[in-house]
């Protein structure tokens, strides 16, 4: 049985995030996870927004927000990246717990 790992709560006043903010949240969760290994990420597109030297080299949400805005991604691409980040987070969790 496959279980989903989730540890993030949202504390926004609106309670809703747009696609880019969902992507930033997903990437933040992924790079901070103890099982994160960039070389095991499947999506080449997702890798473009991940730090090259591991989670400790992440420039932060502001830099990621600028990179996403500069890429001018459409809604379908953002949805794909959000789903990819979620799947990779699950795999990172599975790696960390064995």
């Amino acid at each position: 049985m496959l279980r989903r790992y989730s540890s993030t709560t949202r504390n926004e006043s609106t309670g809703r995030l747009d696609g880019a903010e969902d992507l930033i949240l997903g990437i933040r969760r992924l790079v901070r996870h103890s099982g994160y290994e960039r070389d095991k990420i499947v999506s080449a597109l997702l890798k473009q927004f991940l730090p090259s030297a591991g989670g400790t080299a992440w420039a932060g949400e502001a830099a990621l927000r600028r990179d996403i805005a500069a890429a001018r991604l459409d809604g379908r691409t953002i949805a794909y990246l959000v789903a990819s980040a979620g799947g990779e987070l699950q795999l990172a969790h599975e790696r960390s717990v064995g």
Side-chain angles (χ1 to χ4, degrees), residues 2-5 30 33-37 40-43 46 83-98:
L2 182 66
R3 291 182 155 172
R4 292 285 174 184
Y5 174 74
L30 177 60
H33 195 283
S34 62
Y36 168 70
E37 295 179 37
K40 294 192 178 181
I41 302 296
V42 175
S43 170
L46 181 60
S84 292
E88 294 293 349
L89 178 65
Q90 178 63 33
L91 293 172
H93 178 68
E94 291 173 6
R95 280 192 296 273
S96 70
V97 297

Side-chain angles (χ1 to χ4, degrees), residues 5-94:
Y5 174 74
S6 178
S7 65
T8 301
T9 58
R10 297 180 180 174
N11 293 326
E12 289 79 27
S13 59
T14 63
R16 185 183 176 284
L17 295 174
D18 66 19
E21 291 300 315
D22 285 338
L23 178 56
I24 291 165
L25 175 67
I27 290 174
R28 180 181 71 205
R29 291 173 62 202
L30 177 60
V31 299
R32 290 182 177 170
H33 195 283
S34 62
Y36 168 70
E37 295 179 37
R38 187 178 193 280
D39 61 327
K40 294 192 178 181
I41 302 296
V42 175
S43 170
L45 184 59
L46 181 60
K47 278 185 179 181
Q48 293 178 6
F49 298 101
L50 298 176
S52 58
T56 58
W58 189 39
E61 294 174 27
L64 180 58
R65 193 171 280 112
R66 283 190 305 271
D67 292 345
I68 291 170
R72 302 185 71 174
L73 303 172
D74 63 9
R76 290 181 70 192
T77 304
I78 290 175
Y80 164 77
L81 289 169
V82 169
S84 292
E88 294 293 349
L89 178 65
Q90 178 63 33
L91 293 172
H93 178 68
E94 291 173 6

